[in-house]
Amino acid sequence: MNLLNDGVLVSPVTMRAIDDTPRPKMTDRYAVIGNPISHSKSPLIHALFATQTGQDIAYEAIEAPLDGFFDTIIRLHCAGYKGCNVTVPFKFDAYESASELSERALSAQAVNTLKFSEDGIAGDNTDGAGLVRDIEQNCGVQLRGKRVLLMGAGGASCGVVLPLLTAGATLTIANRTAQKAVDLADKFLEFRIRGGSYDELAGAQFDVIINATSAGLTDSEVPLPAGIFAANALAYDMMYGRETPFMKFAREQGATVADGLGMLVEQAAEAFYIWRGVRPLTAPVITQFRL
Ligand code: ATR
């Protein structure tokens, strides 16, 4: 659906003041859109990328009303913004708003990066690429041939399945509601993948276990059996900024533990590359956030 061309949502918008006055200096403008958004680290990450690469951009955080995502996108496009990142709860709305979708966006059925041009709105999803890059480049674990367990079958999982598979992982998806894991795995039958319940994991071992559930938000345990980590395994939690029960369990089981900060920076770097054609160094930015 191309909202700019099909005239679905072109009424004037008043819910938020977006600076749409023409500017003589051609600083390219970008934004991250979410609700809530005040916590977002994206403006700082992109400011650091811009300084590092000498790119002349401005990047701001915009809180769109829960029913106002499409209006916000149209306003930004019309005001000359070059693109935006999209976060919770608008990634599916962003998917719907794009006139063109990348393969990874189609696979995820969610979009976190929009690029605006005269031709329309291109939608992409950089979450999976960010995860794979963080695991391989920053954690030093190559995924090809590895037994990977992905916990969860919600939005966070959907975005990373195809990139994990194309990186060569043999993937198992486990979910509290087992049928959702089965259904997600069934979309990728040409790959080595299976989906099911946590109970079915008894006796299995994995080289990499990724927590893509929201259980950590409520400090809930995830139902993993002892002994599930293979020797030298990596436990990766997409959350950052707190020790989740999954991280604690993984440490007790002898796994190496990583949080999702690297993924956050890597998915931003991938978006920056889509917009600017320049790939920033991520290590200094990750280091700065860890200080
Ligand atoms: P997100 O977009 O963050 O993935 P979501 O789509 O609501 O959010 O999905 C949350 C995921 O975390 C789901 O896989 C959910 O399992 P269900 O599909 O059974 O609901 C999982 N999840 C949430 N709380 C959990 C818990 N306490 N234990 C195990 N899995 C949990």
Side-chain angles (χ1 to χ4, degrees), residues 152-156 175-177 180 212-215 220:
N175 195 46
R176 183 174 58 182
T177 311
K180 281 169 66 179
T213 74
S214 53
S220 305

Side-chain angles (χ1 to χ4, degrees), residues 182-211:
V182 173
D183 292 345
L184 182 53
D186 281 351
K187 292 181 183 169
F188 301 92
L189 287 177
E190 68 273 32
F191 292 95
R192 287 187 294 177
I193 186 169
R194 57 185 288 272
S197 69
Y198 288 100
D199 292 344
E200 294 166 49
L201 300 175
Q205 281 203 319
F206 296 91
D207 305 300
V208 179
I209 301 184
I210 300 164
N211 183 17

Side-chain angles (χ1 to χ4, degrees), residues 42-62:
S42 293
L44 180 53
I45 292 172
H46 284 277
L48 292 168
F49 287 165
T51 302
Q52 180 202 114
T53 59
Q55 295 283 308
D56 183 17
I57 71 163
Y59 188 108
E60 69 199 276
I62 294 175

Side-chain angles (χ1 to χ4, degrees), residues 38-79:
S38 58
H39 65 285
S40 176
K41 296 189 187 318
S42 293
L44 180 53
I45 292 172
H46 284 277
L48 292 168
F49 287 165
T51 302
Q52 180 202 114
T53 59
Q55 295 283 308
D56 183 17
I57 71 163
Y59 188 108
E60 69 199 276
I62 294 175
E63 183 170 290
L66 291 176
D67 61 352
F69 177 77
F70 296 110
D71 285 348
T72 303
I73 288 297
I74 290 167
R75 288 282 291 163
L76 293 176
H77 196 173
C78 292

